[in-house]
Amino acid sequence: MHYPIGLLFDLLASSSALPWNITVHFKSFPEKDLLHCPSKDAIEAHFMSCMKEADALKHKSQVINEMQKKDHKQLWMGLQNDRFDQFWAINRKLMEYPAEENGFRYIPFRIYQTTTERPFIQKLFRPVAADGQLHTLGDLLKEVCPSAVAPEDGEKKNQVMIHGIEPMLETPLQWLSEHLSYPDNFLHISIIPQPTD
């Protein structure tokens, strides 16, 4: 319930055929493994909390705090009702940054691995280096999760997936954040073992 469905697909079923068959249990589900969802209001509160956290990282919460309650509601209703235009009219503001800054303050990201007990990795990471160079996905992984990146002369052991695709490690992190973030404004990155077939 608290992970986006695309992330779950990347982590659990990216090598399976589409359409992905899932079973949803409304009762007698493993409560020790899954969060119980008490109401739609709880889902909305969780979503808005993630949006606020992402904006705190990107803009020191300035954008989300300048929005009115109706803007927050429009974000949620657009997502809930699958109305992209309604959602994007507000979310666009959260994806902008002043031209002189060359990017967000920090990139809101979470890295998930199927091979660890840790739910995810999240650290502060700037999209632009001190020398003005844009950081790439590879730079992020080398600093935050070095085991995910194959050595230059070594065998590739992992796939890095975002939205079901494997982006090049040379892709600028700012671009990924602007174009491949989930609706909660986080870049959800899956690191899965390289398929053997």
Side-chain angles (χ1 to χ4, degrees):
M1 172 315 269
H2 58 292
Y3 284 173
I5 191 72
L7 171 64
L8 291 173
F9 181 81
D10 286 349
L11 286 172
L12 306 173
S14 60
S15 61
S16 64
L18 292 174
W20 186 30
N21 294 318
I22 59 173
T23 303
V24 179
H25 297 276
F26 291 96
K27 58 184 176 184
S28 302
F29 61 91
E31 290 197 45
K32 66 179 175 53
D33 298 325
L34 301 173
L35 293 177
H36 178 68
C37 176
S39 68
K40 282 197 310 187
D41 292 340
I43 295 171
E44 179 182 358
H46 176 74
F47 172 74
M48 288 309 300
S49 176
C50 289
M51 294 286 285
K52 289 175 181 179
E53 182 181 356
D55 191 52
L57 292 167
K58 293 194 292 190
H59 308 108
K60 298 182 187 176
S61 299
Q62 292 171 342
V63 176
I64 202 102
N65 287 341
E66 289 174 2
M67 291 181 180
Q68 298 177 5
K69 179 78 172 155
K70 69 179 180 68
D71 296 329
H72 294 187
K73 203 61 158 169
Q74 182 175 334
L75 271 171
W76 173 246
M77 295 304 289
L79 180 67
Q80 180 182 336
N81 297 323
D82 196 24
R83 302 191 74 139
F84 178 77
D85 292 342
Q86 181 181 1
F87 174 81
W88 189 249
I90 303 299
N91 194 61
R92 174 183 290 121
K93 299 172 191 171
L94 294 163
M95 288 294 172
E96 295 172 347
Y97 57 88
E100 66 273 3
E101 292 182 17
N102 295 325
F104 302 136
R105 194 167 138 250
Y106 296 103
I107 297 293
F109 75 91
R110 292 182 178 152
I111 296 176
Y112 304 81
Q113 297 174 285
T114 57
T115 57
T116 65
E117 292 295 315
R118 191 174 182 182
F120 57 81
I121 299 169
Q122 180 178 340
K123 295 183 177 181
L124 295 177
F125 194 84
R126 294 188 184 274
V128 181
D131 65 2
Q133 292 292 314
L134 291 177
H135 276 138
T136 65
L137 177 59
D139 296 332
L140 172 70
L141 294 174
K142 285 175 192 164
E143 183 170 319
V144 175
C145 190
S147 63
V149 181
E152 299 222 1
D153 58 348
E155 180 184 345
K156 182 178 172 185
K157 295 182 180 171
N158 296 301
Q159 273 187 307
V160 178
M161 304 289 287
I162 305 172
H163 285 291
I165 61 170
E166 189 173 5
M168 294 174 33
L169 297 181
E170 298 80 20
T171 308
L173 204 52
Q174 177 68 37
W175 187 92
L176 286 172
S177 185
E178 290 176 47
H179 299 281
L180 292 180
S181 286
Y182 280 77
D184 64 3
N185 278 235
F186 272 85
L187 197 54
H188 294 279
I189 304 166
S190 302
I191 298 174
I192 57 174
Q194 182 75 19
T196 54
D197 53 13

